[in-house]
Amino acid sequence: MILDNMISTAKNIAIFGHVRPDGDCIGSCLGLYNYIIENYPEIDVQVFAEPFPESFRLLNGADKILPQYDGREIDLAFLLDTSSLDRCGACAAEALVRAKRTCNIDHHISNPLNLCDKNIVKDQASSASEVLYTQMIADKVSQNTANCIYLGIVHDTGAFKFSSTGKRTMNIVGDLIGKNCEFSRIINETYYTRTYKATRITGFAMENSKLALEGKVIYSFVTPEDLQHFDATPIDLSSTIDVLREVGGTEVAFFIYPANGQYKISFRSNYIVDVNKIAAAFGGGGHQKAAGASISGTPESVIPQLLAMIQEQLQKSIS
């Protein structure tokens, strides 16, 4: 297998994901980490990632993640679940330049396929975790690795609700369960539960949400002042977009919130609208049904633009 060939010829390995890491990012990074430490104990391996939800710390190795690349020498650097250099987290872009070899494992349709020396990108896959698993030797996947891969798949499929969930996805989930992954605990503690702070600010976002385009769109936003009022961080908002998406009768949901001195937009769609195209107009990307971008302006200034772009796609679908 290509993955094992790359790993076995390295003395030290660094693993990176994207900014504001989500379940698939942390799941795939730690899945690769556990696969390496258990099968190649002689190799020095380290995961670097920005702050992530506390619930993900049930994964083995989460307590060993470092917040930022520290300048160490790297034989092999992996970039996971990341489709552009400007979305690299934990100073990964610097590490990729310094590493002797690099490998990108991803599933975003917006991936240019040239971020690393080796680019393993499957845009039909549900998640980077799914792509990663297909590159592993199944007999070498332990319970710890299976837990990580399962968490990543659960979060990027919306607990298997999103259209990216395919037959291969579910076959892999069956494999992971066969390896005794803690599927019930993982889905309950990391997907269906949230902290009290996250619950409060998500409730605030829902209370202030608005419907548009004859109920086909739901949107909301929070400001830095709102975060301060609820003593919350962007991490506490990681599931808000999916709560918005649950409102019946809507085709598109988008949520705008502050992060790193800018505003980030998270998009979700159900059937018709390609939100990847909308995100791309703002320098972002992702998938047809789930995407994101960052803006430097205010939510009030960008919302009319977003609604106009969504309306254009909706009109084309009925013409």
Side-chain angles (χ1 to χ4, degrees), residues 220-268:
S220 187
F221 67 87
V222 298
T223 66
E225 292 75 22
D226 296 328
L227 284 180
Q228 184 176 11
H229 174 77
F230 288 97
D231 189 26
T233 70
I235 293 175
D236 295 312
L237 297 167
S238 60
S239 65
T240 304
I241 183 61
D242 293 311
V243 178
L244 283 168
R245 185 185 192 174
E246 293 172 356
V247 174
T250 58
E251 163 62 19
V252 177
F254 66 84
F255 179 55
I256 307 175
Y257 61 96
N260 300 330
Q262 293 182 305
Y263 277 99
K264 175 177 170 57
I265 315 171
S266 289
F267 299 95
R268 297 289 187 272

Side-chain angles (χ1 to χ4, degrees), residues 73-93:
E73 294 296 318
I74 304 172
D75 286 338
L76 175 59
F78 283 98
L79 180 63
L80 297 171
D81 194 34
T82 307
S83 59
S84 63
L85 293 179
D86 61 359
R87 293 205 71 238
C88 290
C91 297

Side-chain angles (χ1 to χ4, degrees), residues 74-237:
I74 304 172
D75 286 338
L76 175 59
F78 283 98
L79 180 63
L80 297 171
D81 194 34
T82 307
S83 59
S84 63
L85 293 179
D86 61 359
R87 293 205 71 238
C88 290
C91 297
E94 176 188 346
L96 293 176
V97 172
R98 300 187 60 176
K100 295 176 183 177
R101 291 179 295 144
T102 58
C103 179
N104 180 211
I105 299 177
D106 187 35
H107 70 126
H108 292 92
I109 195 171
S110 56
N111 194 300
L113 307 178
N114 62 4
L115 300 183
C116 292
D117 303 330
K118 181 66 178 177
N119 299 280
I120 305 172
V121 180
K122 310 291 184 182
D123 60 28
Q124 296 300 311
S126 70
S127 55
S129 295
E130 178 178 315
V131 178
L132 175 62
Y133 182 80
T134 65
Q135 304 303 307
M136 293 174 167
I137 297 174
D139 290 343
K140 291 185 176 182
V141 174
S142 69
Q143 181 188 42
N144 284 335
T145 301
N147 283 342
C148 299
I149 300 296
Y150 181 80
L151 185 146
I153 292 175
V154 164
H155 281 259
D156 247 32
T157 60
F160 314 113
K161 297 194 302 289
F162 298 167
S163 59
S164 60
T165 307
K167 179 179 179 181
R168 183 176 65 176
T169 307
M170 301 311 293
N171 285 338
I172 289 173
V173 168
D175 288 348
L176 301 175
I177 292 174
K179 295 179 184 298
N180 297 315
C181 80
E182 300 172 278
F183 62 92
S184 180
R185 179 188 179 201
I186 290 168
I187 199 168
N188 285 334
E189 294 188 17
T190 74
Y191 190 82
Y192 286 117
T193 63
R194 60 180 61 88
T195 66
Y196 182 59
K197 286 182 183 179
T199 299
R200 291 187 70 218
I201 196 163
T202 297
F204 173 80
M206 292 300 297
E207 183 178 356
N208 289 279
S209 65
K210 291 180 172 59
L211 290 173
L213 304 183
E214 299 180 337
K216 295 296 184 183
V217 177
I218 184 168
Y219 67 89
S220 187
F221 67 87
V222 298
T223 66
E225 292 75 22
D226 296 328
L227 284 180
Q228 184 176 11
H229 174 77
F230 288 97
D231 189 26
T233 70
I235 293 175
D236 295 312
L237 297 167

